[in-house]
Amino acid sequence: MRAFTYERAHDPVAAARAAAQPGAKFIAGGTNLLDLMKIEVETPTHLVDVQDLGFDKIENTKDGGLRIGALVTNTDLATDGRVRRDYAVLTRAIVAGASGQLRNKASTAGNLLQRTRCPYFYDINMPCNKRKPGSGCAAIGGVSRQLGVIGVSDKCIATFPGDMAVAMRVLDAAVETVDATGQHHSIPIAEFHRLWGDHPEQDTVLKPGELITAVTLPRPLGGKHFYEKVRDRASYAYALVSVAAVIQPDGTGRVAFGGVAPRPWRVEAADALLPQGAAAVTARAFQGATPTQDNKFKLPLATRALASVIAESQQKIGA
Ligand SMILES: Cc1cc2nc3c(=O)[nH]c(=O)nc-3n(C[C@H](O)[C@H](O)[C@H](O)COP(=O)(O)OP(=O)(O)OC[C@H]3O[C@@H](n4cnc5c(N)ncnc54)[C@H](O)[C@@H]3O)c2cc1C
Ligand code: SF4
């Protein structure tokens, strides 16, 4: 690990200003950043610790939704009574991720900003445009079983690996931030993670130093909530494909996929096809997909995972 300096921030705008300096980064739970620093994939020269900023509450909003502080841990979010009752897709997605110990430490903001799990990103001896812009992409033509099938580019085919954000996409969450000039912003989760295009080194639309303060959820959607995660091991593994869904008694609803793209993958026009069944939804949601030989299995897997969710919803609604 390279040497770095460290400060504990006590004011959000001062923290944003400090983190906007070249080489500086925020740290929250540290469960992703410290791992990356140990293998020198990330080499910040200064860390701004945000854990004393007080963003650790879940509050009701005036319009009947919830405001989740950026530092609320994954465990506290998943077990909150309001979340379990009204946003169960979020609880299900969070508990499908990582391990109990990690979820006790991982923050809401850090989870949204966790970096890809492409194996070449973690190997500093291999070319990787995301780690070192312009160096090439070892995954294209390499081992790509875990990687993306849609929304990828000829510079990078990695996925966003997280679970929580897939549920937040179904719920139409918004990410609240403050930047180094003190301006506040609200970014729809649909626009938060970037498609890789020519700049895979930029994971999100955040500007340097922009601090996440909270995530807001609109009013509850009702319906039945599901998170189906297909992975190589029953626990402690990232999704090959995941499906977050909210399904209403009449069979309409919303669906987003994880493990397939640079962002939680939801196509609103595909939601409208839910009453026609899983194949109709995935045919629309994955139109234009560019899988590799190694990962083309993800397309039928996504259809089967969604079919299983729809079948479960029919049983629950019929019950
Ligand atoms: C073994 C292992 C298995 C895992 N399995 C899963 C899994 O199955 N599913 C899953 O979803 N996740 C999984 N994770 C990832 C885990 O959920 C993340 O590491 C965690 O959520 C990151 O949160 P953190 O608070 O520790 O972030 P940190 O590591 O502190 O930070 C992560 C990034 O966010 C930035 N950041 C932090 N807070 C802010 C803020 N307020 N504003 C702006 N930037 C900020 C940091 O600068 C850094 O770039 C796993 C992790 C490990 C180590
Ligand atoms: S897919 Fe992306 S993260 Fe993986 S090696 Fe290529 S550029 Fe790097």
Side-chain angles (χ1 to χ4, degrees), residues 1-4 33-40 42-44 47:
M1 191 186 278
R2 305 257 177 102
F4 59 89
L33 183 58
L34 288 176
D35 279 357
L36 292 168
M37 287 170 65
K38 285 181 206 161
I39 54 173
E40 298 190 1
E42 299 257 22
T43 52
L47 290 184

Side-chain angles (χ1 to χ4, degrees), residues 26 28-33 98 107 111 113-114 162-163 212 229 238:
F26 296 118
T31 61
N32 190 219
L33 183 58
S107 66
N111 195 307
L113 291 170
Q114 63 178 289
D163 294 294
I212 299 180
K229 178 173 176 179
Y238 288 89

